Amino acid sequence: MSAPTAAPPTSPTSLVGRVRAGASRGQIVAAILSWLTVTLEGFELVTLGAIIPTFLETQYLGMGVAETTFIATLSLVGVGLGASGIGPIADRYGRRVALIGSVLIFSIFTLLQPLSTTVMMFAVLRFVAGLGLGACMPAALAIMAEVTPPAHRAKSATITMTGYHVGAVAASLTAMAVLPHWEWLFWIGGAIGLVLLPIMWFALPESKPDVTSDTPKVPLSSLLRAPYLRPSIGLWVGSFMGLLLVYGLLTWLPQIMKAAGYSLSSSLVMLFIMNVGAIVGLLLAGWVADTKGIKPSILVWYLLAAIFLALLSVRMTNTVMLNAVVFVAGVFVFSAQVLIYALVAHLYHRDVRATALGLTAGIGRLGAILGPLVTGSLVSAGLGHPWGFYAFALVALLALGAIALAPKNPPRLDGHA
C-alpha cells in the first residue's frame, strides 16, 4: 500500500474534514451517518430529563419522584448493557449490521413509549430502547475509527461525540416548543430513526476491523499489576465519577432548577445552554490537550467544572449571569470525560489499549447508572437545590483526585518500543 498523502487543512469543526484526503464516498457517508446516529442518541437520552418536570407536575400514570428515578435508572441500565454487549455482535456480524440493528431497536421502542398504560410498562419500554441507544455510540465510534487515518482518530472521535450534545440541544429546543405535549419528543425521535434506517441500509458500507483474528488476547490481570495498576485505578475511578456527573446532570437539571424557583421554560433553556457549552468544550478540549498535555488539561477541566457547578447552587436573579455560569459549566463538565478516554489511549500500550478502553468505559457506565439515582434521591428529599450542585462539585473534585493518580506519560515497558 502506498503511503498516504498529507491531508489538506480543514475547519476544526468539519466532520468530513477528519476523513482522509481522497476518501471514498462510502467513507464520507459512513462518517456522516455515524455522527447522525450519535446525535439521535443524545436527543433520546436527554428527552427523559426534559420531560420529568412535566411528568411530576401532571402525575402522568401516577408518577412521582421515586417512579421517575426508577425509570431513569432502568433506562441507563439498558444503555450500559447495550454498550457492553454490542462488541461481540459487531465483531461477528459487522459494524454495519450492529449499527442498523441498534437504530431499529431504539426507534421502535421509543415510538411505543407514549402508548404505555402503567409505570412499569413505560420503564420496560424505556429499558429496551436503552439497549439500542447504548449500542449506537460504540458501533458508530468503531466505524469512525476504521474510516479515519490513525493520525486523526482521536480528533474524529471528539468530533463524533459533539453529535451527542447537538442531539441534546435539539431535544431541549424541541421540548420548549412542544411541552406539555411531551409525546411529540418520542414520536419525533423514533420517526427520525426509522427514516434514517433505509438510508443506512443502502448507503452505509461495511467496515473492516482493525485487528486480525490472530491478535493475542490480553488478560484482565495485566491491568491490575505493574506498570498499569496505578493508572488503571485512577482512570477507572475518574471515569466512574465523570459519567455519574454527566448523567446526573442531564437527567435532573431541569427539575433541580425548577425546584430552585426558576420556571420550567427557564430550566429547559438552561439545559439547552449547558449542552451548547458541551459542544464548545469538546471542540476546545482536543486542541488544549494536544498543546498542553492530556492529563494537565483534565485536571484543569475538572477543577473549573467543580467551581462553576458550585456557583449554580447560588440563586441568581440576573438571567445573563445565570446562563453564563450554566454555559461555562457545560464547557468543562462533559468534555472532561472524553479527555479521560484520550488519556487511556495515550497511557496504555497497543497490546492492552482496547482492553483498557473497554474496561474504563464499562466502569464509567456504572457511574452513569448511579448518577440519576443519587440525584433523584436528593430531589425526593427536597435537597435537589442547592445540595445537588454541592454533590456535583464534590464528584468533580473526586474525579480530579483520581486522575491525579495517573501518570502523565506512558510507562516504559521492557521489550516494547
Side-chain angles (χ1 to χ4, degrees), residues 70-131:
F70 171 71
I71 291 169
T73 302
L74 192 62
S75 171
L76 290 172
V77 170
V79 170
L81 291 175
S84 302
I86 194 62
I89 296 174
D91 287 341
R92 180 167 183 177
Y93 299 104
R95 275 65 161 149
R96 176 179 179 272
V97 169
L99 190 59
I100 291 174
S102 302
V103 173
L104 177 64
I105 290 171
F106 85 67
S107 297
I108 291 175
F109 284 89
T110 293
L111 287 170
L112 290 175
Q113 284 171 70
L115 304 179
S116 301
T117 56
T118 65
V119 171
M120 183 56 69
M121 182 178 178
F122 191 98
V124 170
L125 291 174
R126 188 69 185 173
F127 170 79
V128 180
L131 292 173

Side-chain angles (χ1 to χ4, degrees), residues 75-370:
S75 171
L76 290 172
V77 170
V79 170
L81 291 175
S84 302
I86 194 62
I89 296 174
D91 287 341
R92 180 167 183 177
Y93 299 104
R95 275 65 161 149
R96 176 179 179 272
V97 169
L99 190 59
I100 291 174
S102 302
V103 173
L104 177 64
I105 290 171
F106 85 67
S107 297
I108 291 175
F109 284 89
T110 293
L111 287 170
L112 290 175
Q113 284 171 70
L115 304 179
S116 301
T117 56
T118 65
V119 171
M120 183 56 69
M121 182 178 178
F122 191 98
V124 170
L125 291 174
R126 188 69 185 173
F127 170 79
V128 180
L131 292 173
L133 287 168
C136 282
M137 189 177 294
L141 289 174
I143 289 175
M144 283 297 297
E146 291 161 9
V147 301
T148 308
H152 295 304
R153 281 179 183 169
K155 293 178 181 178
S156 72
T158 304
I159 297 298
T160 303
M161 288 296 292
T162 64
Y164 182 95
H165 295 285
V166 170
V169 166
S172 303
L173 291 173
T174 306
M176 285 187 277
V178 304
L179 287 180
H181 303 292
W182 56 267
E183 298 91 343
W184 280 100
L185 284 162
F186 292 100
W187 292 337
I188 291 170
I192 293 175
L194 291 181
V195 169
L196 197 58
L197 278 172
I199 300 174
M200 297 174 70
W201 181 263
F202 290 107
L204 187 65
E206 183 56 87
S207 60
K208 303 297 182 183
D210 288 332
V211 296
T212 60
S213 58
D214 59 352
T215 300
K217 301 296 182 183
V218 177
L220 173 63
S221 60
S222 65
L223 303 181
L224 297 173
R225 58 176 183 260
Y228 290 126
L229 178 60
R230 194 181 111 199
S232 292
I233 293 175
L235 290 164
W236 294 345
V237 174
S239 182
F240 178 90
M241 294 298 172
L243 285 182
L244 187 156
L245 179 59
V246 166
Y247 283 91
L249 267 174
L250 287 178
T251 303
W252 285 105
L253 180 67
Q255 181 59 29
I256 290 175
M257 301 311 280
K258 188 171 181 288
Y262 301 102
S263 67
L264 176 58
S265 60
S266 296
S267 300
L268 291 173
V269 168
M270 291 176 218
L271 184 63
F272 161 75
I273 290 173
M274 182 166 280
N275 279 286
V276 171
I279 296 170
V280 174
L282 281 168
L283 297 174
L284 179 64
W287 176 79
V288 172
D290 283 344
T291 56
K292 303 297 183 182
I294 301 174
K295 178 183 172 179
S297 300
I298 298 175
L299 297 180
V300 172
W301 247 237
Y302 272 124
L303 176 61
L304 292 173
I307 291 171
F308 282 93
L309 286 169
L311 283 175
L312 286 175
S313 67
V314 180
R315 180 73 166 84
M316 302 181 194
T317 57
N318 187 308
T319 303
V320 174
M321 178 67 70
L322 172 63
N323 289 334
V325 173
V326 170
F327 174 82
V328 178
V331 167
F332 295 109
V333 167
F334 298 104
S335 52
Q337 179 64 26
V338 179
L339 289 180
I340 288 179
Y341 297 142
L343 186 59
V344 173
H346 174 65
L347 292 180
Y348 289 83
H349 187 268
R350 62 179 179 272
D351 292 343
V352 295
R353 189 174 297 142
T355 302
L357 277 167
L359 198 53
T360 302
I363 292 174
R365 288 290 179 181
L366 297 177
I369 294 168
L370 186 62

